[in-house]
Amino acid sequence: MLVMIERPVKIEKRIAERALAGKEAPTHWLVPVWLWRGLAMNVGLAGVLVLLTPLAGRRLETGMMARPQKMPFSRREWMLMVAAGALFIGSGAPRLGFSLWGDEEYTMKRVIADDVFRDDKVVLQIEPRKWMDTIWDYNKPTNHVGYTVIARLFHDALFTRKEGPQDPWFSEVAIRLPVLIAGLGSMVALVWACLVWGWRRGVAFLALGYACHAWLVRFGVDARGYGFVLLLVPVLVGILGRALQTGGWRWWIGFGLAQFYILWTYPGVVHVPVALNVAALAMILTANCGRPEKLALLGRWLVSGVV
């Protein structure tokens, strides 16, 4: 692909000329340039994966950590966790149909709902939203793409626009519902991550306290990507634990994919995957296991990072 696609040299020169003049380049100039550069970077990353093959292909029978002993939840703990989920749903569901605030409205107008505009004759036109807009519109960092794609799928599946002058243009419930589900999923993921790392005691009370936390109460229903971040952070912690415990490829690849998705949703949370990768590297280097096992784990950790 890199050989077949011509590098946009002319546009690069125009961007450089505007930079010398102290002017910013328009977005439609930047897109083809950085798409080509991104493709070149991906070719480089693919080459890194090939170079890592001897290291990553090492056999690994077990991981570097023992899995904590499983202990079933008591009836009281189950009741607390169910109450926590009911508390969150009970506080979030009534807000699914609340009016949108600034960033939610911007996302809905630009990348989810049908495109509304006036033509040359000042006649109102409504056209289906292009998926290219949903995935690539980044004139402002308001488009949390990982969330927006899922919200668009929910909206297209659950809402049908009618043609009447009083009929709604979009559905607030449809674009907020995936966030509510993600918020509930974050409670399950938090409990699971605690169990993976052996933090068993008090996990039911943790879930109940989390249901009342301001971040979940607000971002667990906002039509933005922050609810997905709340889900993906404990998922990353849990997956990393299982990857270190088992050494299994599925967990390391899952760790890499989850990192991609959280950054695709909200790049501002980059410190989370960075911190987890630093912790993983430190744990592998200081693990009480042989050199072959460490090299195999390092190979899998590197591959997950490249992914």
Side-chain angles (χ1 to χ4, degrees), residues 27 33 44 108 118 121 136 147 160 165 199 258 286-287 295-296:
T27 304
V33 170
M108 178 275 298
R118 293 188 181 276
K121 298 180 180 179
W136 292 105
Y147 151 74
T160 301
W199 306 324
T286 58
L295 288 175

Side-chain angles (χ1 to χ4, degrees), residues 7 59 89 211 262 266:
R7 181 174 177 176
R59 292 182 62 84
I89 294 296
I262 197 172
Y266 182 52

Side-chain angles (χ1 to χ4, degrees), residues 264-283:
W264 197 40
T265 300
Y266 182 52
V269 76
V270 64
H271 57 280
V272 172
V274 168
L276 289 176
N277 275 283
V278 170
L281 178 61
M283 293 181 71

Side-chain angles (χ1 to χ4, degrees), residues 64-65 197 240 244 252 255 271-286 301:
M64 51 166 278
M65 289 170 45
W197 286 92
L240 177 59
L244 293 172
W252 283 111
F255 185 57
H271 57 280
V272 172
V274 168
L276 289 176
N277 275 283
V278 170
L281 178 61
M283 293 181 71
I284 292 172
L285 293 177
T286 58
W301 170 72

Side-chain angles (χ1 to χ4, degrees), residues 16-296:
E17 291 171 356
R18 287 185 71 94
L20 290 174
K23 299 179 181 180
E24 294 185 359
T27 304
H28 65 274
W29 288 8
L30 298 174
V31 170
V33 170
W34 283 101
L35 282 178
W36 190 91
R37 292 178 182 178
L39 180 60
M41 291 174 62
N42 284 334
V43 171
L45 291 175
V48 172
L49 286 175
V50 173
L51 294 175
L52 285 172
T53 300
L55 182 61
R58 290 172 174 265
R59 292 182 62 84
L60 185 64
E61 300 298 333
T62 60
M64 51 166 278
M65 289 170 45
R67 186 173 186 177
Q69 183 179 0
K70 290 184 178 181
M71 295 177 58
F73 290 116
S74 67
R75 183 178 179 183
R76 181 177 298 179
E77 288 175 319
W78 276 114
M79 291 176 63
L80 282 172
M81 289 188 289
V82 170
L87 179 62
F88 168 66
I89 294 296
S91 65
R95 293 181 288 135
L96 288 174
F98 278 15
S99 59
L100 303 178
W101 64 292
D103 285 347
E104 292 177 304
E105 180 185 2
Y106 179 90
T107 301
M108 178 275 298
K109 285 182 176 180
R110 291 293 298 261
V111 296
I112 296 178
D114 289 339
D115 190 14
V116 179
F117 61 95
R118 293 188 181 276
D119 61 17
D120 296 338
K121 298 180 180 179
V122 200
V123 177
L124 190 67
Q125 301 290 339
I126 302 178
E127 293 183 354
R129 175 68 57 188
K130 297 178 181 178
W131 272 100
M132 288 292 290
D133 293 340
T134 303
I135 297 173
W136 292 105
D137 189 314
Y138 213 72
N139 288 326
K140 291 174 62 178
T142 310
N143 183 13
H144 296 169
V145 187
Y147 151 74
T148 305
V149 169
I150 303 299
R152 170 77 185 275
L153 291 171
F154 269 72
H155 192 265
D156 289 355
L158 300 178
F159 176 74
T160 301
R161 181 179 56 81
K162 299 179 181 179
E163 301 296 332
Q166 301 298 322
D167 291 325
W169 170 33
F170 68 97
S171 169
E172 296 170 22
V173 174
I175 63 176
R176 283 199 171 117
L177 184 58
V179 185
L180 186 73
I181 295 173
L184 185 62
S186 73
M187 303 179 74
V188 177
L190 180 62
V191 171
W192 173 67
C194 289
L195 296 179
V196 167
W197 286 92
W199 306 324
R200 170 67 176 76
R201 295 184 62 182
V203 71
F205 290 99
L206 175 64
L208 187 61
Y210 178 58
C212 304
H213 197 284
W215 284 0
L216 184 63
V217 171
R218 175 183 172 180
F219 297 129
V221 75
D222 272 9
R224 308 282 283 121
Y226 306 120
F228 279 41
V229 171
L230 293 178
L231 167 64
L232 290 166
V233 168
V235 165
L236 276 168
V237 173
I239 289 178
L240 177 59
R242 293 297 291 141
L244 293 172
Q245 289 167 5
T246 67
W249 269 113
R250 60 174 179 169
W251 294 109
W252 283 111
I253 296 299
F255 185 57
L257 293 175
Q259 290 180 78
F260 160 75
Y261 205 89
I262 197 172
L263 294 175
W264 197 40
T265 300
Y266 182 52
V269 76
V270 64
H271 57 280
V272 172
V274 168
L276 289 176
N277 275 283
V278 170
L281 178 61
M283 293 181 71
I284 292 172
L285 293 177
T286 58
N288 186 22
C289 60
R291 187 168 179 269
E293 288 78 13
K294 285 186 179 182
L295 288 175

